[in-house]
Amino acid sequence: MNVLVCIKRVPETGARIALTPDAQAIDTTLLGFTISPHEECAVEEALRIAESHGGSTTVLTLGPAAATEQLQNALAMGISTAVLLETDGGDWSAEATAAALVAAIRVRPEPFDLLLFGNEAADSGDYQVGVRVAHTLGLPCVTGIKGITIDDGRLTARREAGGGWEIFELPLPALVSVKEGINLPRYASLPGRVRAKKTPIERIEPQPRASGLETIRLVVPPEHQSHVEILGGGADAAPSVVEVLRDLGLVAS
């Protein structure tokens, strides 16, 4: 099995996001970076498939030179090789990103049997890149997957649906986007981190593709407002507490 995992460098989940003055980009001055939990699970799934069926694993990302940190993290977990489609750090649309990934995939010396993506990136959450790559390459594609088994050249994927599961059978090669919870990603070992620092990362300069979409401006969603009301202290607060519980319907009038 020759497995490819595509990841994206994104701001730390849970970080406070600020925009540049022109509202065209995220101000990354004080941000840390990572990959989304879905993509971390995709890396782990690639490793498990290679361990069970043999073969090689490759991690690929499009981003600035600093994205080597995320590639090295995947290498430290056990991924065999890494490829960086190096950009100047500007945002690429899903359309342009997918086109660059497809171009890089097509020139690899060995074809991939399985392409794994996170279900969506933690920053943009657009769900598009994996589907666009599969469509362009003519590959069968399923999304939102939380279980994968491979047997006799066919892949069986499971997706949660209400109180049960949807089951898909796909011929290989195929593209699958996975969700957090499909597995529990391993921690990178210290020897793995040392080895990752020494592993060369292949660098390719992709050519951006013109897009029909134009970013007008970015908007940070309004923060959830909350307030705290002090009901009192000690026994004096008891009547107020009872009144709140009565308003909530938790005690009888």
Side-chain angles (χ1 to χ4, degrees):
M1 291 288 295
N2 191 12
V3 185
L4 172 70
V5 189
C6 292
I7 64 174
K8 181 183 180 184
R9 180 179 186 259
V10 298
E12 287 279 3
T13 53
R16 187 182 182 90
I17 301 299
L19 302 180
T20 55
D22 61 1
Q24 291 295 303
I26 295 173
D27 185 351
T28 61
T29 306
L30 302 176
L31 285 180
F33 287 85
T34 183
I35 65 172
S36 77
H38 300 309
E39 293 172 343
E40 190 176 15
C41 288
V43 172
E44 174 65 27
E45 197 65 18
L47 293 170
R48 295 188 183 194
I49 290 171
E51 290 167 357
S52 298
H53 300 277
S56 62
T57 53
T58 301
V59 63
L60 170 66
T61 193
L62 181 144
T68 54
E69 177 185 359
Q70 284 65 52
L71 293 176
Q72 287 176 337
N73 287 341
L75 291 170
M77 290 174 66
I79 294 291
S80 307
T81 59
V83 181
L84 172 63
L85 304 183
E86 189 171 350
T87 70
D88 61 2
D91 286 334
W92 285 41
S93 68
E95 181 184 6
T97 299
L101 295 179
V102 167
I105 290 168
R106 281 176 166 164
V107 300
R108 302 306 298 171
E110 295 291 335
F112 293 107
D113 301 295
L114 177 61
L115 283 66
L116 293 176
F117 284 70
N119 200 55
E120 76 271 4
D123 55 352
S124 58
D126 54 22
Y127 299 82
Q128 293 187 38
V129 175
V131 176
R132 286 178 177 273
V133 169
H135 176 74
T136 305
L137 294 176
L139 297 177
C141 172
V142 288
T143 62
I145 297 304
K146 279 199 170 183
I148 292 175
T149 56
I150 297 174
D151 184 44
D152 195 26
R154 296 188 67 83
L155 181 147
T156 302
R158 297 188 302 154
R159 180 168 66 195
E160 288 181 324
W165 295 90
E166 293 177 333
I167 308 296
F168 303 88
E169 290 188 356
L170 290 77
L172 296 176
L175 187 150
V176 177
S177 71
V178 304
K179 295 188 71 173
E180 183 182 10
I182 189 174
N183 55 47
L184 182 63
R186 69 195 68 186
Y187 288 103
S189 65
L190 181 58
R193 292 188 182 279
V194 173
R195 182 176 61 253
K197 292 288 187 181
K198 298 178 180 179
T199 302
I201 293 176
E202 182 180 349
R203 295 172 184 262
I204 300 172
E205 292 187 10
Q207 297 301 314
R209 172 178 172 176
S211 174
L213 301 176
E214 178 186 356
T215 300
I216 304 301
R217 65 188 178 97
L218 301 179
V219 178
V220 177
E223 295 186 3
H224 177 69
Q225 299 295 320
S226 62
H227 69 277
V228 176
E229 181 180 351
I230 304 300
L231 299 177
D236 294 339
S240 298
V241 172
V242 172
E243 189 64 30
V244 169
L245 294 176
R246 184 178 290 116
D247 291 342
L248 294 174
L250 299 177
V251 296
S253 298

